[in-house]
Amino acid sequence: MEVSSVEQISKRNKITAMTASDYQHLVVLLQEFSQASDRYVESTGAQFGTHRTDMNALSIIMKYQQRGALPSPKDLSNELQLSSPATTAMLDRLSRLGLIERLRSDQDRRVMRISPTEKAWTKGREMFMPLGMKMMEVIGNYNENELQIITRFMTDVIAGVDSAREEAVTQSSANLQNLPMGNSIDR
């Protein structure tokens, strides 16, 4: 982010206690947190034979199940921004590892839903229990008011990232549609 952009945001939000440098430092810390989380997922996933995309898919599948539903392959494709063939290959890997089941609807055999297996829940606990314990240690250092602020901040940050992703995808799609015929990005 340019300093002028940070200053504009700061003025718009009437934040005077933080300098532009403080703002930038916080954004860098958020990026570093994201990268550290990715490294954790990649490291633990490698121990269990899964890729980061596989782990993200399992997380989505488990969230669906916790909400009382199961995702379709198309749901996963949309959430992970994967092509249909890439989604199928990922689901094949997870199935071979015994981490998911493909379930056909009794009402319409064409409808398929993806369910995590008990092995996925067990492996998930093994993989993420150490991270969860460390996070609980960190959270334990803050009082209730601080945790409410942190919770609101993280909720807003996640919404901001999702919004930025949607804007980037929309902008990318618009740019692709405006290419002259016969031109390709893959030159």
Side-chain angles (χ1 to χ4, degrees), residues 81 159-177 185:
Q81 300 287 298
V161 170
D162 286 343
S163 177
R165 180 185 53 83
E166 289 173 21
E167 287 176 20
V169 168
T170 301
Q171 182 63 39
S172 177
S173 296
N175 289 343
L176 288 175
Q177 291 174 358
I185 292 177

Side-chain angles (χ1 to χ4, degrees), residues 63-79:
K63 284 179 188 172
Y64 266 81
Q65 188 179 49
Q66 289 171 333
R67 294 178 193 142
L70 293 175
S72 68
K74 184 174 176 77
D75 293 329
L76 292 173
S77 179
N78 290 338
E79 290 213 33

Side-chain angles (χ1 to χ4, degrees), residues 3-183:
V3 173
S4 60
S5 298
V6 171
E7 289 170 348
Q8 289 172 355
I9 292 169
S10 179
K11 287 177 186 174
R12 183 175 60 229
N13 292 325
K14 297 179 176 67
I15 296 174
T16 56
M18 288 181 66
T19 66
S21 177
D22 293 334
Y23 245 128
Q24 289 173 325
H25 181 67
L26 183 55
V27 170
V28 168
L29 288 173
L30 288 168
Q31 291 169 338
E32 289 176 4
F33 170 76
S34 176
Q35 292 163 353
S37 296
D38 284 347
R39 286 190 303 271
Y40 184 86
V41 170
E42 287 173 8
S43 296
T44 57
Q47 295 172 19
F48 291 94
T50 58
H51 303 286
R52 184 172 27 162
T53 304
D54 301 339
M55 299 308 300
N56 289 336
L58 282 171
S59 175
I60 292 166
I61 294 165
M62 289 173 172
K63 284 179 188 172
Y64 266 81
Q65 188 179 49
Q66 289 171 333
R67 294 178 193 142
L70 293 175
S72 68
K74 184 174 176 77
D75 293 329
L76 292 173
S77 179
N78 290 338
E79 290 213 33
L80 295 168
Q81 300 287 298
L82 293 175
S83 67
S84 183
T87 301
T88 299
M90 176 199 59
L91 291 173
D92 288 345
R93 278 192 311 272
L94 293 173
S95 183
R96 275 192 306 274
L97 291 168
L99 299 174
I100 63 155
E101 294 178 309
R102 291 174 166 120
L103 306 173
R104 296 223 178 257
S105 168
D106 291 337
Q107 290 80 26
D108 185 346
R109 301 293 294 159
R110 295 171 294 175
V111 175
M112 184 184 306
R113 298 291 175 189
I114 310 302
S115 176
T117 62
E118 188 56 41
K119 179 180 178 180
W121 287 101
T122 301
K123 292 292 182 190
R125 281 188 293 275
E126 286 177 32
M127 292 172 74
F128 291 100
M129 184 69 72
L131 178 61
M133 298 300 287
K134 286 292 180 189
M135 292 296 100
M136 292 306 289
E137 284 179 32
V138 170
I139 290 168
N141 292 318
Y142 295 89
N143 67 42
E144 186 176 336
N145 290 336
E146 291 170 325
L147 289 174
Q148 288 175 358
I149 292 168
I150 293 167
T151 299
R152 190 179 94 225
F153 173 75
M154 291 304 296
T155 301
D156 291 348
V157 165
I158 292 165
V161 170
D162 286 343
S163 177
R165 180 185 53 83
E166 289 173 21
E167 287 176 20
V169 168
T170 301
Q171 182 63 39
S172 177
S173 296
N175 289 343
L176 288 175
Q177 291 174 358
N178 292 330
L179 284 177
M181 294 299 288
N183 288 344

